[in-house]
Amino acid sequence: MTAQNSATAGTAIAVDTGRPSAQRRGPGGGVVLAGLGVLAFSLTFPSTVWGLESFGPWSLVALRSVLAALIAGCALLAGRVPVPERRHWAGLAVVAGGVVVGFPLLTSLALRTSTSSHAAVVVGLLPLTTALLSALRTGSRPPRAFWAAALAGAAVVIAFTVQQSGGELSGGDLYLFGALLVCAAGYTEGGRLAGVMPGWQVIGWALVLTLPLAVAGALLALPFEPVRLTAHGIVGLVWVAAGSTFLGLYVWYRGMAEIGVPRASQLQLAQPLLTLVWSFLVLGEEVSGAAPVASVAVLVCIAVTQRAGSRGIRRSGADTRVGS
């Protein structure tokens, strides 16, 4: 498929990162874009904790989705972007259900009882889960060195986050494990779609798809959950809507389209450690002295996955690159 018969037909948009432009820029740009997405995502849990100061979990997720959908809708209208082809809507529904509704809702419910640093254990497993689902969904086959480094990185992050939380599971862990699965599915499907339409349009249409549900959810939740507006609460809501949900996913899907879902997913090994840093700086949560050791180990694992993944892409061609 080419960009001309996708959702970008007849529209000249500077941010279009379909397959030809991704090949011209090279893999380095994709790594940077996916890395910026990870940086944005690392602020999600602390921002959600702030948002919960003002809103209940159901209200926060609904308002987050409404604001993000309005931003996305304005961008789509400004770009005069045509409606995607019918065959893409099922994939967009998976993206919407996983990263727009499922992950925010389940993590917000979990963060009522879990700390932001403890919730980072979800992200510790997310890279490996996303790579596995991508391999099953798209048929991509990264080399053995990739999987070995991915498993090692996941083990380091899990061990560190469990140690950080004192080795105890919290009452919100079932929500966190559910969030892990739905988010991995949304990332995988979004990465596949980002190979045939610009990443910002993938998340844009997924957000627009959820707008009626989000508005209905806000109308139902707000009367039943107390609202206590604070500066922290407003900043938290704005960030999770504009930063994490729209801008973060925009650069994330662009990066995945250029370097492939498996490679991009492993950059998220750094996300729990970044979240711990933000949790310490923003929320005042304690961070273990083992953080520097874990950080170095994770960076080594990321370097190995990126090197092994790039070799795998060169061997397997475009199918591995865009996951289609």
Side-chain angles (χ1 to χ4, degrees), residues 38-55:
V38 171
L39 180 61
F41 299 155
S42 69
L43 280 161
T44 299
F45 287 166
S47 298
T48 299
V49 171
W50 272 11
L52 289 172
E53 292 183 11
S54 294
F55 306 96

Side-chain angles (χ1 to χ4, degrees), residues 1 17-20 22-23 134 138 140 187-197 253-262 313 316-324:
M1 170 171 288
T17 57
R19 197 174 303 174
Q23 291 174 341
S134 175
T138 68
S140 61
Y187 281 170
T188 298
E189 196 64 22
R192 185 188 68 83
L193 288 171
V196 296
M197 68 175 72
Y253 283 134
R254 283 188 64 183
M256 283 199 294
E258 295 185 21
I259 64 175
V261 176
I313 288 175
S316 58
D319 286 347
T320 303
R321 178 184 298 275
V322 298
S324 58

Side-chain angles (χ1 to χ4, degrees), residues 199-245:
W200 75 277
Q201 292 184 20
V202 173
I203 187 58
W205 287 115
L207 285 166
V208 169
L209 186 64
T210 64
L211 182 57
L213 178 63
V215 171
L219 293 175
L220 289 173
L222 285 172
F224 293 98
E225 291 183 331
V227 175
R228 297 179 295 271
L229 293 181
T230 65
H232 281 176
I234 295 172
V235 170
L237 172 62
V238 171
W239 177 259
V240 293
S244 300
T245 304

Side-chain angles (χ1 to χ4, degrees), residues 87-320:
R87 60 198 177 89
H88 294 320
W89 281 105
L92 290 170
V94 174
V95 176
V99 303
V100 178
V101 178
F103 186 80
L105 177 59
L106 292 171
T107 53
S108 294
L109 292 171
L111 286 170
R112 293 181 304 171
T113 56
S114 298
T115 64
S116 174
S117 55
H118 178 81
V121 72
V122 172
V123 185
L125 283 171
L126 186 56
L128 181 61
T129 306
T130 302
L132 288 170
L133 288 182
S134 175
L136 293 173
R137 175 68 177 90
T138 68
S140 61
R141 294 294 181 266
R144 292 181 180 178
F146 173 92
W147 291 116
L151 286 168
V156 169
V157 172
I158 292 170
F160 176 67
T161 50
V162 170
Q163 182 272 337
Q164 174 69 21
S165 62
E168 298 179 356
L169 294 179
S170 70
D173 284 325
L174 288 179
Y175 289 127
L176 295 175
F177 290 130
L180 163 72
L181 294 176
V182 298
C183 189
Y187 281 170
T188 298
E189 196 64 22
R192 185 188 68 83
L193 288 171
V196 296
M197 68 175 72
W200 75 277
Q201 292 184 20
V202 173
I203 187 58
W205 287 115
L207 285 166
V208 169
L209 186 64
T210 64
L211 182 57
L213 178 63
V215 171
L219 293 175
L220 289 173
L222 285 172
F224 293 98
E225 291 183 331
V227 175
R228 297 179 295 271
L229 293 181
T230 65
H232 281 176
I234 295 172
V235 170
L237 172 62
V238 171
W239 177 259
V240 293
S244 300
T245 304
F246 184 71
L247 295 176
L249 287 170
Y250 158 48
V251 293
W252 175 246
Y253 283 134
R254 283 188 64 183
M256 283 199 294
E258 295 185 21
I259 64 175
V261 176
R263 283 185 66 196
S265 69
Q266 298 313 298
L267 293 173
Q268 281 197 300
L269 286 171
Q271 186 173 328
L273 300 174
L274 289 171
T275 297
L276 290 172
V277 172
W278 298 127
S279 297
F280 172 75
L281 295 175
V282 176
L283 303 177
E285 295 180 2
E286 294 185 3
V287 177
S288 169
V293 177
S295 299
V296 172
V298 164
L299 290 175
V300 171
C301 292
I302 290 174
V304 174
T305 60
Q306 296 307 297
R307 183 176 179 83
S310 63
R311 289 177 176 176
I313 288 175
R314 286 196 294 268
R315 287 197 299 268
S316 58
D319 286 347
T320 303

